[in-house]
Each structure stands twice: as C-alpha cells, then as structure tokens.
Amino acid sequence: MRIIEEPYLTPDGTLDFPFAYVFDASTLTDGNNLLNVAQQLQGDSQFILRRIVGVPTVVNTPALGGRFNYKNASGNYANGNPSTGIVVPNVWPVVPEKMYKQNDQIGFDLYNVLRSLNACGETPIYAAQIAFMGVKRFGQGSTYPRQITPYKYREVRYAYAYELTINWAHFDTQGRVAPAQQFYVQMDNFDFELLRVAISQPGQTGGLTTQDFAIQLYDSNQHQFSSAPLLQGFINAARPNPQNSSPYQATFPTPSQIYPAGGKIRFDITSLLCSTSLPQSYELLFDGIWRYPC
C-alpha cells in the first residue's frame, strides 16, 4: 500500500498572511471559571486557526483543575467534554485547521484561572496570554499587497542579528504601563525571506525561556502580525538546550515573509521587566534566506 501525500496549497486567487489573535488575561481573577469568553476577530478577512499557544500561562495545573476548551465557528465545542474542558499543553495543534469568517468570534472556556506573572514588589507583571495562531486569508480581488521578488535569484541562507538592550521597566515612575519602543533591522542589497526568529541572552546557552518582554512584528508594508504584542516565547524558535525544542515549538512567521532590498524589519518591544532587573541584553536572530541575484 502506498500513502500519497499532497502538499498544502492556498486556494487559487487567495493570499495567506501569518497572524495571531491574542487574548490578554492580565485583568482576570485567579481561581475563577470563565465560560463563553469571546476573542473577536478583525473584519478584514477569514481566519484559519492552526495552533493555540499559551493556555498554561492562564489556567492552573491539570492536577489542580486547570482546563480549557474552544469552539468552532459553528459554536460547537471542538474538543472534549464541554462541561469540564480539556488539559491543554503549551501548544495545541488544531488538526484539521478551522476556518472562521469575517467578524466571527473564537469562543472558549477557562477553568480555574491562574495567571503567570513576573514578580515585581507589590505589583506583579502578568505574562498571561492565549494566542490563536494561523493565517488571515484574503480572497480574490483583495488589494492586500503581495511582496514579489522582481528578479531571478538563488537562495542563500542568511541571518540578521540584532543586539537589544531593555533599559526601561514595565511600569514607569507613576505606576503606569510604559509604552512599547520601536526597533528596526535594515535589509541589505537583496530581498530577504524571514523564516524564524530566535531569541537568546549573551553569555547564556540556549534560547531565552523567561517572558522578559512581548514583541510585535510587522511585515514589509507595516502590517502587524498579531492583534497585540506576543510573549517572546510564543515566537522564539531557539532551543533552550540541544536536547529540547523551544518550549512553544515556535514556527513564526508561517508562511514566511519577504522583506525587499533596502527595506526594514520593524518590531516593537514591550518590557515585562521590573525596575530592579534593569538593564538586560538580548540577541534577536532573524533567520532566513537571501534571494541572491543570478
């Protein structure tokens, strides 16, 4: 018997754009059950859900009743018993993928909320998010820009390294959340295809495993890849050690994205650090492919 496997193809005339809808759990109350929570989708496209990331940052451990469940676009539960929820690890693959229409909602339930946090005196800094990851699918006739390399090329593996220093705390001196700060990586003389992002700290072996900051990435046309900044671990493809994959098995952005020669990769950083922890340095590696003219 032969198994014939067909490669996944985006339907003719459509465009898939990597995107994550982010549910911020920082304002929830620990110990509660929350049913029929809704993550509202933006009204510009369909959304194809492929992964759910970060549930353990929002609910208690399975032994203490931490559970989750979510709904299809039809409103029916996608998995498990709707009255008790299911145990969800760091990453929940959505197989087969699920399609939500424009202006739909992703409904979900949370059992025994317990928010992850970074301790900071009497005011904790919450690092509690659920990211619904997949693609926005733009239909035929969409004016959403497509980035196409205008010359013949061969692929050459390449990476841009950016040394980031966070010298501002999550809270300013007035106790308010400090705004995100913008950074850029300048492209060279060739188009660059971004395949993944790896984040580490100088002098440390392996990738960063603490949620020291949240990050918002942009495409070459300054469109955001997520509805809110994502915890760094959700996109960090660096292994914590040679034996283990990244905690969230990051594969972002998928599909890969093209940045034209002379352009920039923009990213915004929201500090999740306490003032007593400053400053901290990091290396962000934007790993991908140069499209070298031939």
Side-chain angles (χ1 to χ4, degrees):
M1 181 178 69
R2 290 193 308 159
I3 297 177
I4 300 176
E5 191 172 296
E6 290 188 18
Y8 184 94
L9 297 174
T10 301
D12 287 345
T14 63
L15 172 68
D16 281 1
F17 178 78
F19 199 79
Y21 284 99
V22 182
F23 175 75
D24 177 15
S26 61
T27 61
L28 302 184
T29 300
D30 291 344
N32 283 354
N33 294 340
L34 294 178
L35 307 182
N36 298 313
V37 185
Q39 174 63 56
Q40 180 63 50
L41 306 187
Q42 298 169 356
D44 56 352
S45 69
Q46 297 176 346
F47 180 68
I48 313 300
L49 177 63
R50 293 174 175 164
R51 311 170 85 224
I52 300 172
V53 177
V55 170
T57 72
V58 176
V59 299
N60 214 321
T61 63
L64 294 176
R67 298 287 192 276
F68 169 86
N69 210 343
Y70 74 104
K71 298 178 181 179
N72 300 316
S74 65
N76 296 321
Y77 282 95
N79 292 280
N81 189 327
S83 64
T84 59
I86 54 176
V87 174
V88 174
N90 284 344
V91 181
W92 183 265
V94 178
V95 180
E97 64 187 23
K98 299 188 182 299
M99 190 272 286
Y100 296 81
K101 297 178 181 179
Q102 290 176 269
N103 295 311
D104 269 350
Q105 297 177 336
I106 301 176
F108 59 96
D109 299 338
L110 301 171
Y111 295 87
N112 197 2
V113 169
L114 182 64
R115 297 162 294 169
S116 297
L117 57 85
N118 297 335
C120 188
E122 295 182 358
T123 308
I125 301 169
Y126 289 103
Q129 292 182 347
I130 298 174
F132 299 92
M133 291 184 158
V135 296
K136 286 186 172 184
R137 178 162 292 169
F138 294 93
Q140 294 186 6
S142 169
T143 58
Y144 205 89
R146 300 170 186 256
Q147 187 62 50
I148 300 174
T149 298
Y151 54 83
K152 291 183 179 180
Y153 61 88
R154 60 185 176 89
E155 295 182 344
V156 178
R157 197 64 186 260
Y158 193 76
Y160 290 93
Y162 189 93
E163 302 299 328
L164 170 70
T165 297
I166 297 181
N167 54 14
W168 73 99
H170 181 70
F171 296 115
D172 65 18
T173 56
Q174 304 300 315
R176 299 167 300 199
V177 176
Q181 296 194 19
Q182 292 182 15
F183 299 90
Y184 298 90
V185 176
Q186 180 67 51
M187 300 295 97
D188 292 316
N189 297 323
F190 317 113
D191 286 5
F192 178 70
E193 182 179 356
L194 177 63
L195 301 178
R196 67 174 199 142
V197 180
I199 304 169
S200 58
Q201 283 196 285
Q204 302 295 317
T205 57
L208 180 67
T209 56
T210 53
Q211 306 297 357
D212 293 3
F213 59 88
I215 182 169
Q216 176 67 268
L217 281 168
Y218 295 79
D219 75 352
S220 60
N221 296 292
Q222 302 304 298
H223 295 115
Q224 298 176 345
F225 285 135
S226 54
S227 62
L230 287 159
L231 295 176
Q232 71 82 21
F234 292 2
I235 71 161
N236 186 358
R239 292 174 176 266
N241 54 60
Q243 293 76 34
N244 297 303
S245 61
S246 62
Y248 294 93
Q249 301 171 29
T251 57
F252 200 82
T254 302
S256 59
Q257 291 295 292
I258 308 301
Y259 293 83
K264 297 176 181 178
I265 298 175
R266 175 187 167 185
F267 59 99
D268 300 344
I269 298 294
T270 299
S271 172
L272 298 178
L273 295 173
C274 192
S275 60
T276 56
S277 301
L278 302 176
Q280 293 290 333
S281 296
Y282 309 90
E283 181 180 79
L284 279 66
L285 192 71
F286 297 89
D287 188 24
I289 295 169
W290 254 354
R291 293 186 166 183
Y292 196 88
C294 60

